[in-house]
Amino acid sequence: MKRTDKHKKNRHGASSIFLAVIMSAVILIECTFVAFVWNLDYALSVNTALKTQIDTILSDYNRQLFDVYGIYAFTMDQIDDDCFNKALEINGLTSRSTLFVSETYEFTTEDLKKAINSYYWYRGTGISVRSVVEGYAELIREIDENNVFGKVSEFMQSPASGYVSDIIKGTESASEWIGKAGEKLNIDELLEEASDMDTLSSDYKEAIRNLELDIDIDIAEWEALLDTMSMLESTMDHLSDSSDPLMSKMNISHYCAYNFDCCFAPEGDSSITGTGFKDIHGDKRADVEYIITGLDEYPACFKVDFMIVQVLIVSNMLKDFADEKFRNTMLVLGEIISTIISAVSEGAVNIDPKLIAAGLTYYCAIVQSYKDYIALTNGKRVIIFEYEKVQMVTFSYRDFLYLFCLCTPSDELLERSLEVINRDYGTLYKGITLEADYRGETYSVTKSYQLYE
């Protein structure tokens, strides 16, 4: 029987072991390489998913906000991780990363300024931002040439102002005042003039009744009128060139005046693009008045309306000065009142009839301005500048708002406008940083709208 040696070495067995050792090393290397490539592929997929998610967020801007205000922006309630997860699933991967927002970039007043200038860059051909400025500048020039303020100022500082205000308020009728002059006046020749004065008094009472306010003409705000006109004149001086800062100022002012809700807008009033403000925030708001003054609704409306009346007084004074018939009538009345004052004071007070005529014109302008103001608040346009019965310049309520926006610093307009926009649409953001973690690595993408860069 043949004996077998169990310890005899087999050449083929040694080769198998050797190959097994070699292949195990190769497999380890290959598996490591595959794992590295797989991780790299997942990392690239995460990065792509982040970019897709951030593009989705930026593209999901509020369409109405853009159409009405020209603003690209989003709010935090628009942010989720749906697109991120789906982008991974498309590549056959399951989400092993948590998406989170590491930083946001809030929409600022400087961004709003850029948006406004961009807004007017492609809408500017259809919007005349200089018309109100040019029209009011012409009014100021005519006021200076006719020395309207100088004449009225002299009258207001004279004793005649008290006498004339009593006549206009109707404390006594014009005929009673004429009677006080006794034999110094020919009463029969003055019946027509007395009728003119009584008509002026009647107009004053009618205006006060329509306004349902207790307005005493003795407290006519002459100093306030001068302050308002001084502010407007100063603004016109700064708007005399065509520089880029000037155009930016006019763009911002026009944007605020015509693109936000206001108190006395006519029926059917809307934004520049035709969007109704009820579609934005429902009930009517005094937003432009707030943007101009920074005050709450009622104080803001009162202050703006007060300034409107001041401008209307000036425009009516100029129209009356330019009307020869009216001017001659006031001069005749001035002579009569001057004589009455001299007779009543027994010669102690002698007033130049021209000053009294200027004062009468001022008081007439006050009465006319109240009537114009009522028409304005009913959605009508009023005449600002008229020459030889031709209406050269007319203003709507929003035109006045634009004029006052021009007098308000741009920083204040932008800050308050942004407050109103945030109130209607929520806090706005222009950019965002998204991050996702995977196996100790953090992947990050930051992006914002190019308009604000």
Side-chain angles (χ1 to χ4, degrees):
M1 182 173 148
K2 189 176 180 178
R3 184 177 177 182
T4 304
D5 188 358
K6 295 181 178 181
H7 300 286
K8 185 177 179 181
K9 293 182 179 180
N10 190 311
R11 193 183 316 173
H12 297 290
S15 298
S16 297
I17 294 173
F18 174 77
L19 288 175
V21 171
I22 295 298
M23 289 304 297
S24 63
V26 171
I27 291 172
L28 177 63
I29 294 173
E30 288 295 326
C31 288
T32 303
F33 179 75
V34 168
F36 173 77
V37 171
W38 191 90
N39 285 333
L40 181 61
D41 180 65
Y42 189 88
L44 290 174
S45 297
V46 168
N47 207 40
T48 301
L50 282 173
K51 291 179 179 179
T52 303
Q53 179 68 62
I54 204 168
D55 285 341
T56 301
I57 293 172
L58 294 179
S59 65
D60 194 23
Y61 59 87
N62 189 302
R63 269 33 179 193
Q64 186 186 73
L65 180 64
F66 174 73
D67 291 339
V68 177
Y69 298 106
I71 294 173
Y72 285 107
F74 60 89
T75 55
M76 292 303 293
D77 58 5
Q78 298 171 231
I79 298 176
D80 54 42
D81 60 357
D82 290 346
C83 188
F84 176 78
N85 293 328
K86 288 179 180 179
L88 292 177
E89 291 173 6
I90 289 173
N91 291 319
L93 303 173
T94 57
S95 178
R96 300 181 183 180
S97 303
T98 301
L99 179 71
F100 59 94
V101 177
S102 64
E103 191 171 2
T104 56
Y105 305 93
E106 194 168 336
F107 187 80
T108 66
T109 55
E110 188 62 30
D111 300 323
L112 179 58
K113 182 178 180 180
K114 293 178 181 179
I116 291 174
N117 287 327
S118 173
Y119 184 88
Y120 280 90
W121 181 79
Y122 60 88
R123 286 183 172 91
T125 54
I127 299 173
S128 176
V129 298
R130 296 190 68 96
S131 58
V132 170
V133 176
E134 292 170 351
Y136 189 78
E138 181 66 16
L139 173 66
I140 292 292
R141 185 183 67 81
E142 292 293 331
I143 284 288
D144 289 341
E145 288 186 359
N146 287 276
N147 192 28
V148 173
F149 284 165
K151 294 174 183 177
V152 179
S153 180
E154 288 186 58
F155 165 79
M156 294 298 291
Q157 295 171 13
S158 73
S161 60
Y163 290 107
V164 175
S165 65
D166 284 341
I167 293 174
I168 294 175
K169 286 190 298 182
T171 305
E172 295 174 326
S173 68
S175 58
E176 289 176 320
W177 271 85
I178 292 173
K180 289 182 179 182
E183 298 178 352
K184 291 189 178 184
L185 294 175
N186 187 335
I187 295 178
D188 293 335
E189 295 180 356
L190 298 176
L191 292 178
E192 184 178 349
E193 284 75 7
S195 176
D196 288 338
M197 284 189 283
D198 287 337
T199 299
L200 176 57
S201 176
S202 176
D203 287 343
Y204 168 73
K205 292 177 181 179
E206 184 70 16
I208 300 307
R209 184 180 66 81
N210 288 338
L211 283 175
E212 298 181 352
L213 294 173
D214 183 17
I215 299 177
D216 190 338
I217 208 162
D218 282 336
I219 60 170
E221 294 287 348
W222 174 245
E223 293 299 327
L225 175 63
L226 294 179
D227 291 342
T228 300
M229 292 306 109
S230 176
M231 174 187 68
L232 292 171
E233 286 181 354
S234 175
T235 299
M236 294 306 113
D237 289 341
H238 287 91
L239 298 177
S240 58
D241 59 57
S242 299
S243 62
D244 289 340
L246 167 67
M247 290 308 300
S248 179
K249 168 64 175 175
M250 296 180 73
N251 289 343
I252 292 169
S253 300
H254 191 278
Y255 181 90
C256 293
Y258 295 96
N259 227 23
F260 290 88
D261 205 355
C262 64
C263 186
F264 292 115
E267 188 67 27
D269 181 58
S270 63
S271 69
I272 294 174
T273 59
T275 303
F277 294 111
K278 287 186 177 180
D279 297 333
I280 297 175
H281 53 227
D283 296 336
K284 181 176 286 294
R285 303 288 188 97
D287 289 337
V288 185
E289 290 85 352
Y290 166 71
I291 290 171
I292 293 171
T293 64
L295 302 174
D296 292 334
E297 184 172 357
Y298 290 109
C301 291
F302 181 81
K303 183 173 182 179
V304 168
D305 294 347
F306 178 79
M307 291 191 292
I308 287 176
V309 171
Q310 306 304 305
V311 177
L312 288 172
I313 289 173
V314 175
S315 66
N316 281 309
M317 287 170 65
L318 181 58
K319 285 184 289 184
D320 292 341
F321 266 104
D323 187 331
E324 184 177 359
K325 181 180 179 181
F326 180 91
R327 192 170 61 247
N328 290 337
T329 300
M330 291 299 104
L331 186 57
V332 170
L333 293 178
E335 292 174 351
I336 295 170
I337 294 173
S338 178
T339 305
I340 293 173
I341 293 173
S342 179
V344 172
S345 65
E346 298 180 351
V349 179
N350 293 306
I351 305 297
D352 186 347
K354 293 182 179 179
L355 294 183
I356 297 178
L360 285 169
T361 302
Y362 172 55
Y363 287 139
C364 285
I366 293 175
V367 174
Q368 293 167 3
S369 298
Y370 293 147
K371 293 181 179 180
D372 287 342
Y373 170 75
I374 292 172
L376 200 67
T377 56
N378 288 328
K380 299 178 181 178
R381 300 183 71 87
V382 296
I383 302 170
I384 292 298
F385 182 64
E386 184 179 58
Y387 183 73
E388 295 183 350
K389 303 299 182 181
V390 177
Q391 298 179 8
M392 307 294 288
V393 180
T394 62
F395 275 17
S396 67
Y397 184 75
R398 283 202 179 273
D399 292 334
F400 279 102
L401 296 179
Y402 176 39
L403 182 64
F404 300 143
C405 281
L406 288 169
C407 301
T408 307
S410 295
D411 290 344
E412 295 180 13
L413 293 177
L414 292 169
E415 182 178 348
R416 294 165 189 163
S417 298
L418 185 55
E419 285 182 31
V420 172
I421 292 172
N422 283 336
R423 179 202 70 198
D424 289 338
Y425 294 96
T427 303
L428 302 177
Y429 298 89
K430 64 179 179 181
I432 192 171
T433 297
L434 296 180
E435 291 186 356
D437 289 334
Y438 176 68
R439 291 191 174 181
E441 293 289 333
T442 300
Y443 303 94
S444 172
V445 175
T446 300
K447 198 169 185 179
S448 62
Y449 296 107
Q450 189 173 2
L451 174 63
Y452 313 119
E453 296 178 350

